[in-house]
Amino acid sequence: MLEKQKMGNTFNVPCPEMMGINNVDEIKNLLTEAIDSHSDIALQLASVNKIDTTAVQLLIALKQKLESQNNRLILSEPSEQVLKVVKLLGVNTLLGLVD
């Protein structure tokens, strides 16, 4: 189960080990409150050892939504697997995960 913690104007969200089609709705639902409150969101990605295209699409949509509200998506401590997948998909620069 995901939990969020509000620190100032930022919601800190530790992500599960697996982010994908099986739990993307749970992740999206958890982030809805933070998006609606016009806060920055910091996703803690250090423990993610599997991420699929569905979850990456969610990250992109989330980033775009937050930016349209003048807020930020912070991808904190991305695991090697996260970095590998976003680079493979060619969205690492878009998500701000550059070498």
Side-chain angles (χ1 to χ4, degrees):
M1 188 73 166
L2 297 173
E3 295 180 16
K4 60 184 178 290
Q5 299 173 337
K6 186 161 181 156
M7 304 293 278
N9 199 33
T10 301
F11 272 90
N12 289 303
V13 182
C15 291
E17 289 183 12
M18 295 185 172
M19 292 179 64
I21 196 160
N22 293 330
N23 65 350
V24 76
D25 285 335
E26 177 187 355
I27 296 166
K28 182 180 176 186
N29 291 338
L30 177 71
L31 298 172
T32 300
E33 180 184 344
I35 293 169
D36 291 344
S37 69
H38 304 287
S39 296
D40 294 340
I41 297 176
L43 295 179
Q44 309 302 319
L45 299 169
S47 66
V48 177
N49 61 33
K50 184 175 182 185
I51 186 168
D52 70 14
T53 305
T54 307
V56 173
Q57 289 172 327
L58 175 65
L59 295 179
I60 293 167
L62 179 61
K63 180 176 175 63
Q64 292 172 338
K65 176 72 172 174
L66 288 168
E67 286 178 351
S68 75
Q69 298 173 340
N70 293 319
N71 292 305
R72 299 177 302 147
L73 174 64
I74 303 158
L75 301 178
S76 181
E77 301 177 26
S79 67
E80 288 298 317
Q81 187 62 24
V82 170
L83 293 172
K84 179 181 171 184
V85 170
V86 297
K87 189 172 184 178
L88 180 68
L89 294 172
V91 296
N92 53 318
T93 302
L94 175 67
L95 290 171
L97 298 174
V98 292
D99 296 334

